[in-house]
Amino acid sequence: NPGGPNPAEAKPAESEPEEAKPVEDALAEKETDAPKDSRPAIKESPTFHTPQTTLNVVPTMGGRVLRTLTEGGMQFLIAGARANVGVKSGRYMFEVKPIEWPNQVEAAGSHARPPQPRNVLRIGFSVADSMPIMGDTEDSICFDCDGTLHHNKSKTQVTQKVGFESTLAVLLNLRTTGPNIGTISLFRDGIRITAPQPLPESLLGRPLYPTVTFKNVSLHVNFGPRLQFPLPFRCRTVQDVSVDDVEVSVVQEPKDGKYNVIFPVCLPDQGTFNWCDWFVSCNPQYAELSDRKIVEWAVRSGFWRSAAHHSKASNDRPDMNFGVPAIDDGTVKRILAMAASTQRRHLIIMEVKGNLTKADRIQALRPFRMPHFRRVAWLLAGQPIGAYRDHILDVALQEKREKALQEVKARNEERERIRQLELRRKEVERAKRKTDRLKKRMEEERQRQAEAGDEAKEASEAKAEVEEDEEEPEADVQMESVEVPPKVELTDSERIQCFKRKEGGIPDIAPSALTNSYPNWSFPDVSEGFDAIECQWQDRQGCEYALRQWKNERKLSTKVEYIGPSDWFKERWASWQKDLQKWHVKHMEHKDPTKRAARTEALQRQKLAAQQEAAAAKESQEPGQGKENANVGNNGEVEKKTREAKDPLSQVDLNDKSVDPMKVLEAQLAEQDRFDVFGIEEVLDMDGDGVPLFASFAFEDWALLSLRFELHLVVHAFARDCKDPDRTGFPAEHLPYYYTKYFKRGLNPKAYGTDNVEELVELVGDTLIVCDKILESQITDDLETNEVFVKLTEEARRDRSRRIQAGDATAQLKFSRNPPDAFAVAAAQLKASAPTPPSRTTLATTTLMPTSMQPATAKSPGPAAPAALPDQAVGGEKGMALALAMDQAMGMGTAADASNGAMDYTAGMDFSAMGDQSGAAEWNAGGGGDWDWNKDGAEWGSFMGTMMDGKGGKGKSKKGGAKGKATGMGKKGGSSGWYGGGDKGSGKNNWKGGKSSKGGFQGQAWKGGWKG
């Protein structure tokens, strides 16, 4: 403007330099030219040795050009390289020029966003023996192309974003005099773009090595002496560094030219990875190749990983789940192994399970066949010795000291807190007393003023001031002496315990992988391809012994997953089902008073007829016919008296309501208890009169009977099916697992009134016993009959009864009786739709029976039913509804289930008798002995529902569920084969056990409690 600047425009122009002045001052160059140095320079050329780079770095052109692997998922992993010359004093710099920065290739099938940015370049300095990945540890400091300063996971924006087209230079100033002491600066194309940044305290006084960290970038590193872009001042490069200012990291080659590839063979959870960390820290020239290092590498490369761990995670196989298939499926690990096989460096292949398995070892050895490798297996089993043991004890002692220090600190803080509370309380009390005194004096003064006037008022105020001044302060609360941390030393037991996994820590091998693999574990030998086998802690014999001991201990704590029902198990189980059903039928018949009386009379008639036949035969051979006839008559009278004495119920008139048949039956059962249980040859007839040994069984006894056989069968089936000579059994805590494996249903100890499996085993201690932590059966597996379980149950019942009568309250069984909610709901739903028990008219006309099977003439309905019939009909309806609900809620599908559940449900109603000629009388008997439908039936159903672990599911018709279609009682397929009890109908239109000559509905088809 020829006329001069416009005043309106001049003011903003003058303000701009004022705002930019702080930035210009920060970037103002204060560095001076480096003076000439007559000290000798280093003879070694700064370079990147292979052990000082990550496994994915490919150095070229004498180590001045660095590239990375970019295929198979390697493009997502960051790379790093550290030079061999470390600066410890003076001022030196080096340049980095990106050559190419290709676009990152997306992995096929990847569902995770790759870490950003896709191209990374960081230049700076790091300390020796650290991983050359800068930015996330306190051992390094660097700048990146985004203009950010990185140190120990902290980021500071110090300049604008820098493009990859520029040449970057880093200046490290460790001078003792002059400007910018202890700083690091970044230059672009020779121009300063950041203010000098102070070095962290953790890096001061330590040699700092030029380091580059990059991803998807190829770069050229220039250590001098010539610079591509000289700085504004004369500065020496790393190549010109004086000997006194540097420390050179020397990488010595092996004397024989062979680099070790170590395969540590360790037992799980015995300090495996702790040893590896200690070994690598002591030998930084070794690079670890393992899954856990890949996970750590991926996280440091920017991948996000959840802190929560999967149940199958382990140190050997940690959770990948990065969303990149090449990383998750192990492709990256295989590529790294191939890349490492071409490099001259020491390696340690850290695999616990793989190094213990022969096939995996042979596969892992294949990439390392080059002549410059020495493949050696290190056996690390038993108690550690030497430097590692000292390291373990030092760590344990330090942890114990830290714990003691924290405890003492917490107690001191608690004492101080209590002291402060006491001080506050005393201050409040003192203030309250002072307030009370002032109020009292003011009240007295008001009274005095009213009496004496103004002169007295002035005198009293002066007196009050004197009294207040004379009041002595209360003594302060003294703090108790501060507790000093005690001297902590390791005990003898702590010194022996060298391997200790943190509580809740991750195992070395996942339990599922451990169970399936450890039987095949072994130590390597030279024939597998190793050049040497070295025992580090124990000799070979000691290592083998440690492995055997570990396997034997593991067999007590691991479960066999491949085990299941065998043919032998199925055969024994089918035999038991058949016997159990037979015993249930006999039990119900015996509990019926009418049938029992008729059976007793029939037996006596048979005996009398047999005696008469014997007498007649004897008379035909010997003289004295008249006398013999008299004897026979007398024998009949004697037999009648004997029968009446033996069976008190035979003298009772069942129609006499004044007689309680239950009391008579109890007296008879008490008489039967005098029989020796194990001396009885036939459990179905223990006294010759058809009385079964299980006549006094309640539902608890039937449950314990089944439990005894089932647990006995599981123990023997495991020993047969495991096919492991060293595993003769399993511990008691694994019993529910194997019970489910064989019976396909759960085992709930609480249903039997016990809190755990150990108490459940103790409940049937006459059948099972724990020997050396292994569950064993006291009964052999080659039994000809299953009656021994009935005898054991009866003997236990008698012993329990005697103890209860003696006042032992602990002998009382406490089975679960309350039905679960799901069971109660199912029972309520089915009660409305359950079929009404057949009346005598229905039984007579058999309207529910298929037409082809109805008798030509209905039989007599029998005696008239008493007035109690409607109540009993309601009880029967409830019992049927409960039986159907149990079937549907639990999906009980085997014949034994039906026998255990539904048939005992119907013990009260005894449907098998409803079609007989005396059906009405038997219906009149109602509860079938001592059973009460409204109580005992529900209790049994509750117990069964709980014993089956409350597991429900929709019952299927072929498995005994209440899914029947046409009538709701269950049909098989489309045929008319009705199920009877627990057994399937055998054939079309064939009622199980039902015969028209016996009334049709007398058949076993009713014994399932309408089970279907």
Side-chain angles (χ1 to χ4, degrees):
N1 186 354
N6 188 345
E9 298 177 359
K11 190 173 181 179
E14 294 175 356
S15 62
E16 289 181 1
E18 294 180 0
E19 296 179 359
K21 186 175 181 180
V23 178
E24 292 179 356
D25 291 344
L27 297 180
E29 194 57 66
K30 298 179 182 180
E31 297 286 355
T32 59
D33 293 338
K36 292 184 179 181
D37 195 344
S38 59
R39 295 177 297 174
I42 60 172
K43 298 180 181 180
E44 296 84 357
S45 297
T47 186
F48 297 100
H49 291 301
T50 300
Q52 297 170 340
T53 63
T54 55
L55 291 172
N56 60 340
V57 173
V58 182
T60 60
M61 298 181 64
R64 295 302 179 92
V65 175
L66 303 178
R67 306 190 61 171
T68 62
L69 301 176
T70 57
E71 296 294 336
M74 299 303 299
Q75 68 270 25
F76 299 107
L77 297 182
I78 203 166
R82 183 175 56 251
N84 62 330
V85 177
V87 180
K88 59 182 182 181
S89 62
R91 186 185 67 180
Y92 300 95
M93 53 86 63
F94 70 99
E95 288 182 331
V96 175
K97 170 63 178 178
I99 299 175
E100 64 174 353
W101 46 96
N103 292 328
Q104 191 179 69
V105 179
E106 294 289 346
S110 175
H111 56 82
R113 183 183 178 184
Q116 301 296 324
R118 301 192 177 191
N119 303 97
V120 174
L121 174 58
R122 299 173 189 169
I123 56 176
F125 291 85
S126 65
V127 300
D129 301 336
S130 63
M131 191 172 182
I133 296 180
M134 299 184 295
D136 56 355
T137 65
E138 62 179 6
D139 297 330
S140 63
I141 186 170
C142 63
F143 297 98
D144 67 5
C145 288
D146 290 334
T148 305
L149 179 68
H150 295 259
H151 171 70
N152 199 19
K153 297 183 179 180
S154 66
K155 301 179 181 180
T156 304
Q157 193 72 30
V158 293
T159 186
Q160 296 179 353
K161 186 175 181 179
V162 181
F164 287 97
E165 302 86 357
S166 305
T167 298
L168 303 178
V170 179
L171 173 68
L172 178 64
N173 190 340
L174 297 179
R175 286 178 172 180
T176 57
T177 60
N180 304 331
I181 298 175
T183 61
I184 184 174
S185 304
L186 179 65
F187 294 80
R188 179 181 60 188
D189 296 337
I191 301 175
R192 177 184 291 274
I193 59 174
T194 66
Q197 302 297 320
L199 292 174
E201 293 184 1
S202 60
L203 299 180
L204 295 177
R206 305 172 68 181
L208 300 179
Y209 293 79
T211 308
V212 291
T213 298
F214 54 103
K215 181 177 70 172
N216 290 320
V217 177
S218 298
L219 50 90
H220 174 263
V221 181
N222 180 20
F223 292 116
R226 295 179 178 274
L227 295 177
Q228 185 175 1
F229 290 93
L231 302 184
F233 52 91
R234 188 169 60 251
C235 181
R236 299 177 65 180
T237 63
V238 176
Q239 179 67 61
D240 294 333
V241 65
S242 299
V243 175
D244 298 335
D245 293 340
V246 297
E247 181 176 294
V248 180
S249 175
V250 179
V251 177
Q252 297 180 351
E253 294 188 1
K255 295 180 180 180
D256 57 358
K258 293 182 177 293
Y259 292 87
N260 289 332
V261 180
I262 299 178
F263 290 80
V265 185
C266 313
L267 297 179
D269 299 321
Q270 292 194 2
T272 305
F273 290 94
N274 291 335
W275 172 87
C276 184
D277 293 336
W278 169 81
F279 178 80
V280 173
S281 65
C282 298
N283 302 273
Q285 70 273 21
Y286 279 83
E288 179 185 347
L289 183 58
S290 63
D291 282 344
R292 67 163 188 159
K293 279 298 178 183
I294 293 177
V295 170
E296 177 186 341
W297 196 351
V299 172
R300 298 186 70 174
S301 299
F303 280 97
W304 179 86
R305 184 168 181 255
S306 174
H309 299 285
H310 192 269
S311 59
K312 294 184 178 181
S314 63
N315 292 323
D316 203 36
R317 291 288 184 271
D319 285 335
M320 295 289 188
N321 299 331
F322 292 115
V324 179
I327 299 179
D328 297 343
D329 62 12
T331 301
V332 165
K333 183 179 179 182
R334 291 191 293 271
I335 294 176
L336 287 175
M338 290 186 290
S341 66
T342 65
Q343 301 174 6
R344 292 181 176 270
R345 68 164 78 212
H346 296 288
L347 298 169
I348 178 169
I349 311 301
M350 193 62 252
E351 295 282 345
V352 181
K353 173 178 168 291
N355 292 349
L356 283 166
T357 307
K358 182 177 181 179
D360 294 342
R361 289 194 297 264
I362 295 175
Q363 183 68 22
L365 281 170
R366 290 181 178 178
F368 306 101
R369 297 178 179 179
M370 299 293 288
H372 62 271
F373 284 124
R374 179 175 177 264
R375 299 172 294 182
V376 56
W378 281 9
L379 305 189
L380 303 169
Q383 287 293 324
I385 59 175
Y388 179 59
R389 177 176 175 80
D390 296 338
H391 167 73
I392 293 175
L393 297 179
D394 291 342
V395 172
L397 180 60
Q398 184 63 27
E399 290 178 353
K400 189 172 182 179
R401 288 175 177 172
E402 289 291 338
K403 183 177 180 181
L405 182 62
Q406 293 297 327
E407 291 175 353
V408 171
K409 182 179 178 181
R411 289 194 293 268
N412 288 334
E413 291 177 351
E414 179 64 17
R415 291 192 186 97
E416 177 63 19
R417 186 185 67 85
I418 294 175
R419 191 182 75 88
Q420 293 295 336
L421 289 176
E422 185 67 16
L423 282 175
R424 184 179 302 176
R425 184 183 65 80
K426 289 184 176 296
E427 290 176 357
V428 172
E429 291 178 354
R430 184 168 53 188
K432 184 177 180 181
R433 289 195 301 269
K434 182 178 180 180
T435 303
D436 293 341
R437 287 196 303 270
L438 291 176
K439 288 182 178 179
K440 184 177 179 181
R441 289 173 184 172
M442 292 174 64
E443 184 65 26
E444 292 175 353
E445 292 303 321
R446 280 196 295 270
Q447 295 178 0
R448 292 175 184 175
Q449 290 174 8
E451 296 175 357
D454 296 339
E455 295 181 358
K457 179 179 179 181
E458 295 177 355
S460 62
E461 289 179 354
K463 183 179 180 180
E465 291 178 358
V466 172
E467 292 179 355
E468 185 174 351
D469 294 337
E470 292 178 352
E471 183 179 354
E472 297 182 358
E474 296 186 8
D476 192 6
V477 179
Q478 298 296 327
M479 180 181 179
E480 298 181 12
S481 59
V482 178
E483 184 178 355
V484 180
K487 185 178 180 180
V488 177
E489 296 294 340
L490 295 178
T491 62
D492 293 339
S493 60
E494 291 173 339
R495 295 180 69 87
I496 295 175
Q497 189 179 6
C498 293
F499 310 120
K500 182 180 180 182
R501 195 177 81 191
K502 294 182 179 180
E503 185 176 353
I506 303 176
D508 285 350
I509 301 179
S512 58
L514 183 68
T515 302
N516 296 330
S517 63
Y518 82 87
N520 301 322
W521 286 357
S522 63
F523 286 133
D525 52 50
V526 180
S527 62
E528 298 176 7
F530 289 98
D531 297 317
I533 308 292
E534 299 179 3
C535 300
Q536 298 295 317
W537 297 344
Q538 309 292 333
D539 57 11
R540 180 74 184 220
Q541 185 178 0
C543 292
E544 294 286 356
Y545 175 78
L547 179 59
R548 287 195 302 271
Q549 287 293 104
W550 187 93
K551 284 185 176 182
N552 292 335
E553 293 175 0
R554 185 59 53 182
K555 289 177 180 179
L556 297 178
S557 59
T558 57
K559 302 172 183 176
V560 181
E561 297 186 356
Y562 57 81
I563 204 166
S566 60
D567 294 338
W568 179 87
F569 173 87
K570 295 177 181 178
E571 180 181 353
R572 295 289 299 165
W573 180 236
S575 174
W576 170 258
Q577 291 174 321
K578 183 177 180 181
D579 290 344
L580 187 62
Q581 186 174 1
K582 177 177 64 177
W583 296 335
H584 273 293
V585 173
K586 182 68 176 179
H587 182 251
M588 288 190 297
E589 292 178 350
H590 175 74
K591 293 175 73 68
D592 189 334
T594 306
K595 285 189 176 182
R596 185 167 57 251
R599 182 177 62 254
T600 303
E601 184 177 355
L603 289 173
Q604 298 303 328
R605 290 176 182 174
Q606 292 177 2
K607 291 181 180 180
L608 181 60
Q611 292 175 358
Q612 291 177 350
E613 291 178 0
K618 188 175 182 181
E619 182 182 357
S620 61
Q621 297 177 1
E622 299 179 2
Q625 180 177 1
K627 184 177 179 179
E628 292 295 333
N629 289 337
N631 289 337
V632 171
N634 292 335
N635 289 338
E637 293 295 329
V638 172
E639 182 67 26
K640 180 177 180 181
K641 293 179 180 180
T642 302
R643 172 171 56 82
E644 293 175 353
K646 197 169 185 179
D647 185 6
L649 198 62
S650 62
Q651 307 177 37
V652 179
D653 184 7
L654 296 178
N655 293 325
D656 187 0
K657 295 185 179 180
S658 63
V659 178
D660 188 357
M662 292 304 303
K663 293 184 178 180
V664 179
L665 180 60
E666 291 176 359
Q668 182 182 12
L669 295 177
E671 181 70 18
Q672 294 169 356
D673 284 349
R674 295 184 298 175
F675 287 95
D676 181 18
V677 170
F678 295 98
I680 297 174
E681 297 181 357
E682 177 59 50
V683 297
L684 294 177
D685 186 6
M686 66 176 180
D687 59 353
D689 289 340
V691 178
L693 182 61
F694 43 78
S696 301
F697 277 16
F699 80 94
E700 294 94 342
D701 301 301
W702 287 110
L704 292 176
L705 171 63
S706 296
L707 181 66
R708 282 182 170 88
F709 177 81
E710 290 171 355
L711 300 188
H712 155 82
L713 186 59
V714 167
V715 170
H716 283 296
F718 176 87
R720 286 174 172 265
D721 302 337
C722 184
K723 300 177 182 179
D724 185 352
D726 296 331
R727 194 194 287 262
T728 58
F730 55 86
E733 56 266 22
H734 291 175
L735 178 59
Y737 172 79
Y738 292 113
Y739 185 93
T740 304
K741 278 285 187 178
Y742 279 98
F743 292 105
K744 310 303 179 185
R745 62 173 184 255
L747 178 66
N748 184 11
K750 294 186 181 297
Y752 297 89
T754 58
D755 295 330
N756 48 54
V757 177
E758 288 74 14
E759 293 182 5
L760 181 65
V761 172
E762 186 179 354
L763 187 63
V764 290
D766 50 14
T767 304
L768 298 181
I769 188 173
V770 178
C771 183
D772 294 335
K773 300 182 180 180
I774 297 297
L775 196 61
E776 297 180 359
S777 175
Q778 302 191 64
I779 304 174
T780 61
D781 60 348
D782 55 353
L783 297 175
E784 296 181 358
T785 177
N786 295 320
E787 294 181 354
V788 65
F789 298 100
V790 179
K791 296 178 181 180
L792 290 172
T793 305
E794 173 62 15
E795 180 68 18
R797 186 198 65 80
R798 294 183 181 183
D799 178 70
R800 187 171 64 250
S801 178
R802 288 191 293 267
R803 290 169 58 192
I804 293 175
Q805 292 176 1
D808 186 1
T810 61
Q812 185 70 39
L813 295 177
K814 300 178 181 179
F815 281 21
S816 177
R817 293 171 177 260
N818 296 325
D821 295 339
F823 176 81
V825 173
Q829 292 175 346
L830 287 170
K831 182 175 181 180
S833 60
T836 305
S839 63
R840 286 181 286 118
T841 305
T842 304
L843 292 172
T845 57
T846 62
T847 55
L848 291 177
M849 185 182 296
T851 306
S852 59
M853 298 190 63
Q854 293 184 8
T857 305
K859 292 193 174 184
S860 172
L869 179 61
D871 294 336
Q872 292 173 348
V874 172
E877 178 182 358
K878 178 180 179 181
M880 288 189 296
L882 291 173
L884 288 170
M886 181 182 67
D887 292 338
Q888 187 177 44
M890 296 187 299
M892 296 170 58
T894 62
D897 295 334
S899 179
N900 287 340
M903 293 182 65
D904 272 294
Y905 258 109
T906 57
M909 284 304 300
D910 197 3
F911 280 108
S912 63
M914 289 196 290
D916 202 283
Q917 290 184 354
S918 57
E922 294 174 359
W923 178 282
N924 195 20
D930 59 347
W931 277 78
D932 179 5
W933 256 118
N934 292 286
K935 179 180 179 182
D936 296 74
E939 290 176 352
W940 175 256
S942 170
F943 166 74
M944 287 298 296
T946 309
M947 186 182 71
M948 301 304 291
D949 206 12
K951 293 184 177 180
K954 296 181 179 179
K956 298 181 180 179
S957 57
K958 67 177 182 179
K959 289 189 176 181
K963 191 184 176 183
K965 297 181 179 179
T967 63
M969 292 184 290
K971 270 190 174 184
K972 179 183 179 182
S975 66
S976 300
W978 289 69
Y979 293 8
D983 293 335
K984 299 177 181 179
S986 56
K988 192 172 184 179
N989 295 330
N990 178 23
W991 288 70
K992 182 69 176 181
K995 298 180 180 179
S996 58
S997 62
K998 291 188 178 181
F1001 276 77
Q1002 186 208 358
Q1004 302 275 344
W1006 289 96
K1007 288 193 174 181
W1010 304 80
K1011 174 171 174 49

